[in-house]
Amino acid sequence: MEALKGNCIIGQSGGPSAVINASALGCIEAALGSENVGKVYGAAHGILGVLNDRLYDLTREDPEELALMRYSPSSVLGTCRYKLADFLADDTDYKRILEVFQKYDVRYFFYNGGNDSMDTCSKISNYLSSRNYPCRIIGIPKTIDNDLAHTDHCPGYGSAAKYVATTCMELSRDAKVYNTGSITVVEIMGRNAGWLTAAAALSQVHGDGPDLIYMPEVPFDMADFMADVSRVYERQGDVMIAVSEGVKDKNGTYISSYFSETSRTKDAFGHSQMGGLATSLAGFAKTKIDAKVRGIEFSLLQRCASHVASATDIEEAYMAGKAAFEAAERGVTDKMVGFKRVEGPQYKCETTLIDLVDVANAEKRIPREWINEAGNGVLQPFIDYVTPLIQGETAQPKENGLPRLAYLRRIMTREL
Amino acid sequence: MEALKGNCIIGQSGGPSAVINASALGCIEAALGSENVGKVYGAAHGILGVLNDRLYDLTREDPEELALMRYSPSSVLGTCRYKLADFLADDTDYKRILEVFQKYDVRYFFYNGGNDSMDTCSKISNYLSSRNYPCRIIGIPKTIDNDLAHTDHCPGYGSAAKYVATTCMELSRDAKVYNTGSITVVEIMGRNAGWLTAAAALSQVHGDGPDLIYMPEVPFDMADFMADVSRVYERQGDVMIAVSEGVKDKNGTYISSYFSETSRTKDAFGHSQMGGLATSLAGFAKTKIDAKVRGIEFSLLQRCASHVASATDIEEAYMAGKAAFEAAERGVTDKMVGFKRVEGPQYKCETTLIDLVDVANAEKRIPREWINEAGNGVLQPFIDYVTPLIQGETAQPKENGLPRLAYLRRIMTREL
């Protein structure tokens, strides 16, 4: 295939992670080093940067500062949650995208995000193809939720899992240090998939870590929960619980909605509660057990904790970005980079290429057989799956005792 | 002075920290190495371990496992919040303490905690003295609050400050990444002193970190707060706020109490809110500014995050414990180990000895002149004070990608 010459845009989308910038860097450095690419642009706030013609000229950044993106959390280019319409229904956005691509002679477009971002990628790819505009479009996966289909795992997950496991280990030391009874509920991200919550199990070493783990894959029942908690509390005088924000009952109703002020079930539990699920479940336990209770929400911390990122995750994230550019350069388009675990005694991960359309609207959840029968813990196959992903410590440089993050100049093309 | 021969007890009390075990280790290793000390006991759950005759024989621990205490968070011996009565009013506990000390021939007692623990130490010291029971009693400071008087700073503070600054830096990257307006409120520990909250200022590098910082040292006014937030929001479209859990209004009323369900001010703000101050203040801001708001509470995480502990803090904590034993061995009693900053161009810290009674009932707060006039940020003298305390990364060993904490055998003397 003949080389396609032109410029390149990379955008970031969806929720941040500790390594999304490592992926962007892998792609940017490969593009900057390619003889087929002239300018490398960063879209400010994802696809909105294209629609609004707000592009950073990354060619003008100091390469050493760019290199710090490997260790800088969140999306340095800015992100968005913007859903493109179906172009058969409304092609306004698509026309604008083509216009901007033509203005800047963009022939390579990379989008770094979760399944919504892959949907965006897929739609743009289809539209440009229908307009016979040659452009190579590749998705670069990112999600702490680890819920993308057809890939062994997702960049961002390993670091978030390492944060969750490290923090749960430390927390359990703190929560269990008094001589008085205590119940500690920790709320972890994941609306539909429990991958990140399940990673709390890694901290279950020599009595550390949570006693009970609840994931959205198994229907959550308040009575079973209370029975589990009571049983553990009676045995050891304290309980630590890890729970996915997205646990639902057998009818698919979010448990968190039980506790909202307007909920009809409010009176059933005797309490009107605001705030997160952790606080609500801790308060509920308090109505049954006279212990000190505490709800803790990892909130944004779990997705931006670059200081405790997994070295394995960082390297794989970079590899995914680099593989995206290399695939595009050799003629591939309309794909997302995925990961494949190479069979063998040692963990080894290779990149693959997956049709965007197959990823866009799918969601991968924990296999039921990796979760125990009671639905309050995980089994060895899950531990074997996740353990390699959290290995290795970040080499994040420090300045004055704090992370030295990347400070980009972010010069807009329109300012030049 | 003639050498005092006998056995030794060390206890830990009050809230945990990332380095309280490093202090205990400094003391334990010095005691184990002394020819004047036979057995080294750990009191299970602080002074309660003495009262209940629940002592661990630390002589029977593997020294290599003990050494991991340097990097293990929370109190490995267990802790308590137990206040001794005045012995003139009720000497039951004191008689029991003397009885247990006599039973085990205890001549050295070390108590590792905050100002309440120093009060305990001081009372025991006075009582034993009045009963002519020779026993050397030394307090070893510990508090993430950094509020002990007569010492430059406290072991535990540097690590908590490093956690707060690191996390605020990462969070600000995440909170400001969208193109839509956002208000993020972070709640940090400190009921009366703002030392830990003020440490968030260390993350104010190149536009990172919080825009506004509120400490209990300055009366908090809801109208001023809202004016500050609005001003920053109008300028930059997002605001990050760090606030002490203990901020109070000019009448000394906790701001958090404004938002409790039973508060009379509930209707004034139009909301009934549960949960922490961060969520409440974020909710309040939402009533005035149409932005995405989020409250984040660092909760227990800020006091047990050993994975991001300050190497300076770890070494100083160990030094404090070691100095406590060495002072006792050479005849000192009724003192707490303190820190003094040696004058000179380079930061250097030495131990001092402070009368227990002077520490027991005092509290050190941030000097008003280290806080800006508006009361929503700190000035350079504070930065100069705190910067050396967060320097250096922990050498915490890792196993399988997670902290390798100390697992003690904890053999009770009564089980022997």
Side-chain angles (χ1 to χ4, degrees), chain B residues 21-285:
Chain B
N21 290 324
S23 282
L25 181 69
C27 184
I28 292 166
E29 289 190 337
L32 287 172
S34 164
E35 58 185 18
N36 294 314
V37 171
K39 288 284 190 180
V40 179
Y41 301 116
H45 299 293
I47 196 64
L48 292 177
V50 178
L51 292 169
N52 300 328
D53 190 2
R54 289 176 54 85
L55 303 176
Y56 304 122
D57 185 349
L58 299 177
T59 323
R60 298 174 68 94
E61 299 288 346
D62 172 0
E64 283 184 31
E65 203 64 40
L66 273 181
L68 289 172
M69 285 173 64
R70 192 186 286 261
Y71 305 110
S72 301
S74 191
S75 317
V76 292
L77 304 174
T79 187
C80 68
R81 292 197 189 275
Y82 184 83
K83 204 168 169 65
L84 290 176
D86 183 335
F87 69 80
L88 295 176
D90 177 2
D91 64 358
T92 320
D93 282 349
Y94 298 91
K95 281 182 174 162
R96 175 64 179 154
I97 290 169
L98 178 56
E99 186 180 58
V100 172
F101 276 23
Q102 283 170 327
K103 173 177 172 184
Y104 291 100
D105 190 27
V106 172
R107 300 295 168 177
Y108 294 91
F109 179 67
F110 301 94
Y111 213 41
N112 193 186
N115 38 20
D116 287 341
S117 309
M118 297 311 137
D119 183 55
T120 301
C121 256
S122 175
K123 285 169 169 167
I124 297 173
S125 175
N126 289 344
Y127 178 77
L128 295 182
S129 193
S130 74
R131 297 298 300 269
N132 296 312
Y133 179 84
C135 185
R136 312 257 168 87
I137 299 191
I138 305 279
I140 307 170
K142 171 284 320 169
T143 170
I144 63 163
D145 293 333
N146 201 41
D147 59 352
L148 295 183
H150 310 292
T151 179
D152 180 79
H153 59 282
C154 303
Y157 173 60
S159 294
K162 189 180 179 92
Y163 172 86
V164 163
T166 300
T167 306
C168 280
M169 183 178 270
E170 293 172 334
L171 270 180
S172 73
R173 288 271 165 140
D174 188 315
K176 299 182 172 188
V177 82
Y178 286 93
N179 59 315
T180 46
S182 73
I183 299 173
T184 307
V185 185
V186 177
E187 179 179 341
I188 298 168
M189 282 182 174
R191 295 303 278 178
N192 298 308
W195 296 104
L196 192 53
T197 305
L202 290 169
S203 65
Q204 292 170 325
V205 182
H206 294 287
D208 284 333
D211 303 292
L212 298 163
I213 301 175
Y214 299 96
M215 297 144 282
E217 280 79 358
V218 180
F220 187 95
D221 180 90
M222 291 299 291
D224 289 350
F225 165 75
M226 218 36 247
D228 289 348
V229 171
S230 299
R231 197 181 58 251
V232 176
Y233 189 81
E234 273 166 37
R235 190 176 66 224
Q236 60 191 39
D238 48 54
V239 195
M240 179 171 163
I241 300 131
V243 62
S244 278
E245 59 177 344
V247 287
K248 301 171 199 70
D249 65 20
K250 64 180 193 297
N251 301 316
T253 304
Y254 282 115
I255 300 301
S256 56
S257 75
Y258 284 18
F259 299 99
S260 69
E261 271 194 304
T262 54
S263 167
R264 278 170 299 174
T265 56
K266 180 178 104 175
D267 292 336
F269 300 110
H271 273 249
S272 161
Q273 302 231 15
M274 291 281 288
L277 177 65
T279 310
S280 300
L281 286 178
F284 177 67

Side-chain angles (χ1 to χ4, degrees), chain A residues 122-186:
Chain A
S122 174
K123 285 169 169 168
I124 296 174
S125 176
N126 289 343
Y127 178 77
L128 295 182
S129 195
S130 76
R131 298 297 301 269
N132 296 313
Y133 179 83
C135 185
R136 311 255 168 89
I137 298 190
I138 305 278
I140 307 170
K142 173 281 323 170
T143 171
I144 63 164
D145 293 333
N146 201 41
D147 59 354
L148 295 183
H150 310 293
T151 178
D152 180 79
H153 59 281
C154 303
Y157 173 60
S159 293
K162 189 180 180 91
Y163 173 86
V164 163
T166 300
T167 305
C168 281
M169 182 178 273
E170 293 172 334
L171 270 180
S172 74
R173 288 271 165 139
D174 189 314
K176 298 182 173 189
V177 82
Y178 285 95
N179 59 316
T180 46
S182 74
I183 298 173
T184 308
V185 185
V186 177

Side-chain angles (χ1 to χ4, degrees), chain B residues 293-316:
Chain B
V293 303
R294 195 186 290 263
I296 297 175
E297 204 180 329
F298 285 167
S299 190
L300 305 184
L301 283 61
Q302 63 203 298
R303 71 182 195 192
C304 67
S306 61
H307 72 274
V308 64
S310 149
T312 300
D313 190 29
I314 293 172
E315 289 320 305
E316 291 179 354

Side-chain angles (χ1 to χ4, degrees), chain B residues 279-347:
Chain B
T279 310
S280 300
L281 286 178
F284 177 67
K286 179 83 179 170
T287 65
K288 309 286 179 181
I289 300 175
D290 183 28
K292 186 170 156 185
V293 303
R294 195 186 290 263
I296 297 175
E297 204 180 329
F298 285 167
S299 190
L300 305 184
L301 283 61
Q302 63 203 298
R303 71 182 195 192
C304 67
S306 61
H307 72 274
V308 64
S310 149
T312 300
D313 190 29
I314 293 172
E315 289 320 305
E316 291 179 354
Y318 184 91
M319 176 173 79
K322 184 164 182 272
F325 182 81
E326 288 170 352
E329 195 172 38
R330 67 174 188 265
V332 176
T333 187
D334 206 24
K335 300 276 186 184
M336 182 190 86
V337 174
F339 288 148
K340 190 177 74 179
R341 206 177 284 236
V342 182
E343 291 212 19
Q346 288 288 320
Y347 170 78

